[in-house]
Amino acid sequence: MAVDRKTEARGTAPSPQEEAPFLLPVIMCGGSGTRLWPASRESMPKQFIPLLEDLSNFQLTVRRFGHPAFLKPLVLASNDVRFIVAEQLGAIGVEADIALEPMRRDSAAAVAVAACLAERRGSRTVAVVVAADHLIADTEAFVAACLAAAEGARDGLVMTLGVTPTAPATGYGYIQPGGPVAGTNARRVERFVEKPDAATASRYIDAGYLWNSGNFLFRSDVMLTELEAHTPDVLAAARAAVAGATVDLDFLRLDADAFARAPKISIDYAVMERTTRAGVLPVSFAWSDIGTWGAIWDASTKDRSGNALKGKVEVSDTRDSLVHSDGVLTTVVGLNDVVVVATPDAVLVTSRERSDAVKDLVGKMKTGGRPEVDDHLLMYRPWGSYQRIDIGSRFQVKRITVKPGHRLSLQKHFHRAEHWVVVRGTAEVTIDDQVILRHENEAAYLPIGSVHRLANPGKIDLEMIEVQVGSYTGEDDIVRFEDVYGR
């Protein structure tokens, strides 16, 4: 279904041999992807999970900007996922600037920060703002579209990419194209419309409307002017947050107090629906925001029965279904058009048609205090990861992995002692004033109240089993004295 747009872009897009890079990719990593629970959770949202390929959608999005016209990407992410972002960038060998949002303030604040940071690159720089979790398989067509849309952006328009609909989707906003933009294949935007019902979506398609992909291109000075005109409070907060930002390791931390003053509003409401400078480039490449399990099924490779299967699964007399398993054997018999997703601590079963209602279920569980809503059993940390194996009233067992050259914080606990058993690698263990080495099949005991630290001085991953015993084993029973990661 993907259409090559290079022919359309030719004649308006600058050749990379003719000028230096001028497009600044801005990758927004906000959102928790609750409709894709239980795979996607606050501790590891959907953009960082390899749902369809070996790489995460965030990594695929970053790789999309390998063309010479693009500058080093700017990534906007929350503090909680900063080390996931850095690790996934390193895994694919890409460098990026990473700015940390202290809290969620919706997309207008993020775009305002991006415009402020892009302003530092010079007036010729065109920002390309994209979401980290969208699926675009045809990178060539996407790059050609960006180069073509950049021409309108350079001329002072706030451009977006409008995807030619393939079905009357009710999960996307729509764009009504207006008159042509002289010298390009772009159109003026007549209006943006919200997600419609099925009947209205069909009418929109008949009338030539486009899907709103949420990808934007603009000159920084144009976006700053539009923000000042339509939502000055957002711009003021973003400017102050950038001005008060501090450098922490490889991250730029936006000023929290200033950023918190930004009203929660989307860039669509804040600018795109109000500006007279909106332009849209129609594109026909395959695109999805993979916002539901139904959308994952649409984008997946299927067997002859229409099933999208992943992991340790077996099905019989089952058609047009999605069955994913993260470890546990998952079996389905005699069902059609269903979604079954199994993780080590939670299982979801729903019809494909109602998979968008998972978000409501997650909200209900969050209100009920279910810890499985936000946290995986496997939790990632800057030094590695830990996975809970078992837990009881006075104990907890974890599997801990520490990357070579990394170390945990120097810390103590008030309510628990810990036993560490090395399974693989070498552990450097600090207990009060003593530093010892422990190798495979050796153990260390940490009494309650002891000041301790774990480090991996070796060249391979350190894997160990931790047994906690005490009256309370919660993650908040910790006092940190020193931490190289600034926590």
Side-chain angles (χ1 to χ4, degrees):
M1 188 166 56
V3 174
D4 188 350
R5 309 297 292 182
K6 295 191 293 294
T7 303
E8 292 185 357
R10 195 174 293 122
T12 62
S15 165
Q17 287 77 30
E18 294 174 357
E19 62 176 307
F22 70 101
L23 291 170
L24 172 64
V26 178
I27 302 170
M28 300 196 296
C29 296
S32 57
T34 52
R35 289 185 178 89
L36 293 181
W37 185 87
S40 176
R41 309 187 196 183
E42 288 280 354
S43 60
M44 180 63 83
K46 69 171 182 174
Q47 54 267 34
F48 302 113
I49 301 172
L51 289 166
L52 292 166
E53 301 188 31
D54 292 335
L55 297 177
S56 71
N57 264 27
F58 167 68
Q59 291 172 309
L60 295 172
T61 298
V62 172
R63 278 193 164 181
R64 214 169 286 142
F65 294 106
H67 189 278
F70 295 106
L71 298 158
K72 181 168 72 169
L74 168 64
V75 178
L76 297 177
S78 72
N79 180 71
D80 292 341
V81 300
R82 66 194 187 281
F83 292 109
I84 297 174
V85 169
E87 184 168 338
Q88 292 202 356
L89 287 170
I92 58 174
V94 175
E95 292 185 356
D97 296 321
I98 305 172
L100 302 179
E101 298 177 292
M103 69 283 296
R104 289 177 181 160
R105 307 307 292 172
D106 217 323
S107 57
V111 170
V113 166
C116 291
L117 293 173
E119 186 181 30
R120 299 178 176 180
R121 307 285 187 111
S123 59
R124 292 179 67 257
T125 303
V126 172
V128 184
V129 178
V130 301
D133 54 357
H134 290 187
L135 178 65
I136 300 173
D138 193 339
T139 296
E140 228 183 318
F142 172 77
V143 171
C146 288
L147 293 172
E151 293 302 288
R154 281 178 145 181
D155 290 338
L157 295 178
V158 181
M159 295 294 299
T160 186
L161 303 182
V163 179
T164 302
T166 57
T170 58
Y172 303 143
Y174 285 71
I175 298 172
Q176 181 183 9
V181 176
T184 74
N185 292 308
R187 307 277 293 276
R188 290 279 185 171
V189 171
E190 186 67 27
R191 66 172 180 143
F192 291 86
V193 293
E194 290 301 304
K195 299 173 183 178
D197 57 32
T200 304
S202 294
R203 291 198 300 272
Y204 286 164
I205 292 176
D206 292 340
Y209 284 49
L210 305 167
W211 284 338
N212 182 2
S213 70
N215 299 302
F216 302 103
L217 296 90
F218 52 79
R219 285 197 337 242
S220 60
D221 61 327
V222 172
M223 179 54 71
L224 293 172
T225 298
E226 293 300 300
L227 287 164
E228 181 64 50
H230 302 296
T231 52
D233 291 349
V234 170
L235 179 59
R239 283 198 184 280
V242 170
T246 57
V247 176
D248 177 9
L249 299 177
D250 295 326
F251 309 105
L252 180 70
R253 286 186 176 276
L254 301 174
D255 183 82
D257 291 339
F259 195 73
R261 294 195 292 270
K264 285 187 177 182
I265 184 173
S266 72
I267 191 62
D268 284 350
Y269 287 131
V271 172
M272 299 307 295
E273 294 181 6
R274 305 179 185 183
T275 182
T276 60
R277 295 184 173 189
V280 58
L281 180 73
V283 298
S284 298
F285 52 71
W287 165 87
S288 173
D289 69 353
I290 58 168
T292 66
W293 286 112
I296 295 290
W297 180 85
D298 288 336
S300 297
T301 301
K302 304 173 187 68
D303 64 16
R304 286 184 294 181
S305 296
N307 297 313
L309 308 177
K310 183 178 181 181
K312 197 173 180 180
V313 304
E314 294 290 343
V315 299
S316 176
D317 190 25
T318 297
R319 303 186 63 84
D320 301 326
S321 296
L322 179 144
V323 186
H324 282 196
S325 174
D326 182 12
V328 61
L329 175 61
T330 303
T331 61
V332 178
V333 179
L335 297 178
N336 299 331
D337 302 304
V338 298
V339 169
V340 179
V341 181
T343 68
D345 64 337
V347 177
L348 168 73
V349 180
T350 179
S351 66
R352 276 199 301 114
E353 184 181 8
R354 293 297 310 283
S355 63
D356 60 341
V358 173
K359 182 177 182 178
D360 299 329
L361 175 63
V362 170
K364 179 181 178 182
M365 291 191 294
K366 186 184 287 283
T367 301
R370 292 279 190 181
E372 296 88 350
V373 170
D374 293 331
D375 294 335
H376 286 277
L377 290 182
L378 177 62
M379 299 290 289
Y380 291 90
R381 292 294 183 260
W383 42 261
S385 64
Y386 70 83
Q387 181 170 356
R388 192 178 77 223
I389 299 172
D390 197 4
I391 189 170
S393 62
R394 289 184 56 85
F395 76 92
Q396 183 170 198
V397 182
K398 293 180 179 178
R399 176 182 177 180
I400 295 177
T401 302
V402 183
K403 296 179 291 188
H406 286 257
R407 59 178 55 196
L408 282 66
S409 61
L410 186 66
Q411 58 186 252
K412 74 173 183 179
H413 313 293
F414 290 110
H415 302 287
R416 70 176 184 257
E418 295 177 342
H419 302 258
W420 292 347
V421 180
V422 177
V423 177
R424 180 173 183 262
T426 298
E428 180 186 276
V429 181
T430 299
I431 308 175
D432 293 325
D433 296 328
Q434 183 183 18
V435 179
I436 57 177
L437 292 179
R438 289 291 182 262
H439 304 285
E440 293 178 7
N441 206 32
E442 295 181 344
Y445 170 65
L446 292 74
I448 293 176
S450 63
V451 176
H452 60 275
R453 188 205 302 269
L454 175 65
N456 180 359
K459 301 296 183 183
I460 63 174
D461 283 351
L462 164 63
E463 296 181 9
M464 51 172 285
I465 300 299
E466 175 183 85
V467 180
Q468 304 173 359
V469 179
S471 58
Y472 179 71
T473 60
E475 290 300 315
D476 55 349
D477 176 23
I478 185 170
V479 176
R480 289 191 175 96
F481 299 97
E482 180 184 307
D483 184 30
V484 296
Y485 308 108
R487 293 174 295 173

